[in-house]
Amino acid sequence: MNANLVISTIKQLKNEIGKAKNLKDKKKEKYILELDKLNTRYSGIDVPESLKTQYNKLNSKGIELVKEIKTIKDKNKLETSVEVYIRYLKASLCDFEGKTIYLRKYITSFLFSAMLFLALSPQFYGFILPILFFLPIYLGLKGVKNRSISGFYMTMSLVPVALMTSFTWIRYGLNAKLDYTGAVKAIVDSGVAQGLAEKLVYIGPIFGCVLMIFACLQLYRGYKSRDLFI
């Protein structure tokens, strides 16, 4: 099934956006450029019959937006409506092209990053940091499964602290080579038992390297799957 209906709707949107008086010229140029790119991509696809309902819904929402642009006076509301529909076009295109596998890959790398972060961060940053991120991790995962852009941003917020934690453990491992006794004492002082601390001197830096790999993998897969979210 071709995408002629959506292509026609995209052209109408471009026309109405170009005529909208309550949009700045820079915004118009940005939206029209994105719609031009989407128009080209939709011209070269065949929509699977199994996704016909989604395709029809996508087109209906586009027609509704065309009508809304003529009546919406609030600039912020108009910009939000256009941007949401553009994300919807991109996300649907990924579905039509069979690229949803990137979503599963992203969720997998995120889960490993989250588990390792929650396990490794308390030894150096206490329990406050993982507690602060527990809710964003939970809500982010739930949002990502629902293809929510806010859920995506929540999960991506884990990457910087995961990298910070991994670098801390790697640096600790390098220092432990020079001063094994002092390295063990640093962990014991954080409230960890002596026996466990002696094992963490070796195990911690190894898992820190693994965490760094998964955090970088999450960042890469997040970039690859960013268009899947609405």
Side-chain angles (χ1 to χ4, degrees):
M1 182 173 68
N2 60 43
N4 289 342
L5 288 176
V6 168
I7 291 170
S8 175
T9 301
I10 290 174
K11 290 177 180 178
Q12 291 179 59
L13 273 175
K14 286 168 53 183
N15 185 48
E16 292 302 327
I17 288 171
K19 294 189 296 183
K21 295 181 180 179
N22 50 346
L23 283 177
K24 293 182 179 179
D25 289 339
K26 286 187 177 180
K27 285 287 185 179
K28 289 182 182 181
E29 290 173 8
K30 176 187 173 183
Y31 297 150
I32 290 173
L33 179 61
E34 289 190 76
L35 289 169
D36 277 334
K37 292 178 180 177
L38 285 164
N39 185 68
T40 301
R41 292 180 66 187
Y42 269 95
S43 298
I45 67 161
D46 287 317
V47 180
E49 285 295 329
S50 59
L51 297 176
K52 185 176 180 180
T53 301
Q54 179 179 342
Y55 173 78
N56 289 334
K57 185 177 179 182
L58 173 69
N59 190 58
S60 296
K61 285 186 175 293
I63 293 171
E64 289 174 10
L65 180 58
V66 170
K67 295 175 181 177
E68 286 179 9
I69 291 175
K70 299 175 182 179
T71 58
I72 294 177
K73 302 300 180 182
D74 188 327
K75 178 177 72 70
N76 293 328
K77 185 179 179 182
L78 177 56
E79 289 178 0
T80 300
S81 297
V82 173
E83 288 168 6
V84 167
Y85 187 68
I86 288 175
R87 289 201 301 268
Y88 191 18
L89 283 168
K90 291 178 179 178
S92 295
L93 184 63
C94 290
D95 289 335
F96 301 149
E97 293 177 335
K99 292 182 178 179
T100 50
I101 189 174
Y102 289 125
L103 179 62
R104 294 195 295 273
K105 289 182 177 181
Y106 175 72
I107 291 175
T108 299
S109 56
F110 164 70
L111 285 174
F112 277 103
S113 294
M115 288 187 292
L116 287 167
F117 164 72
L118 293 173
L120 295 174
S121 57
Q123 283 71 32
F124 289 102
Y125 303 108
F127 288 97
I128 297 297
L129 186 62
I131 287 173
L132 287 174
F133 272 84
F134 184 81
L135 189 59
I137 287 172
Y138 171 75
L139 294 177
L141 178 60
K142 191 174 180 181
V144 163
K145 288 181 177 179
N146 292 326
R147 308 271 294 271
S148 162
I149 192 70
S150 59
F152 174 66
Y153 289 146
M154 281 187 185
T155 55
M156 286 296 285
S157 70
L158 177 72
V159 173
V161 290
L163 287 172
M164 177 183 71
T165 302
S166 69
F167 292 151
T168 301
W169 271 107
I170 293 169
R171 185 174 65 248
Y172 168 80
L174 295 174
N175 292 336
K177 284 187 175 182
L178 303 174
D179 183 11
Y180 175 79
T181 304
V184 173
K185 184 178 183 299
I187 298 182
V188 171
D189 290 344
S190 70
V192 177
Q194 178 76 23
L196 178 59
E198 291 174 355
K199 294 177 181 178
L200 284 173
V201 169
Y202 301 104
I203 296 174
I206 292 173
F207 278 108
C209 291
V210 175
L211 174 57
M212 180 180 68
I213 292 170
F214 275 108
C216 291
L217 193 59
Q218 181 192 342
L219 184 62
Y220 170 73
R221 287 177 172 172
Y223 175 79
K224 293 284 287 184
S225 63
R226 67 194 186 282
D227 288 340
L228 284 162
F229 302 96
I230 301 172

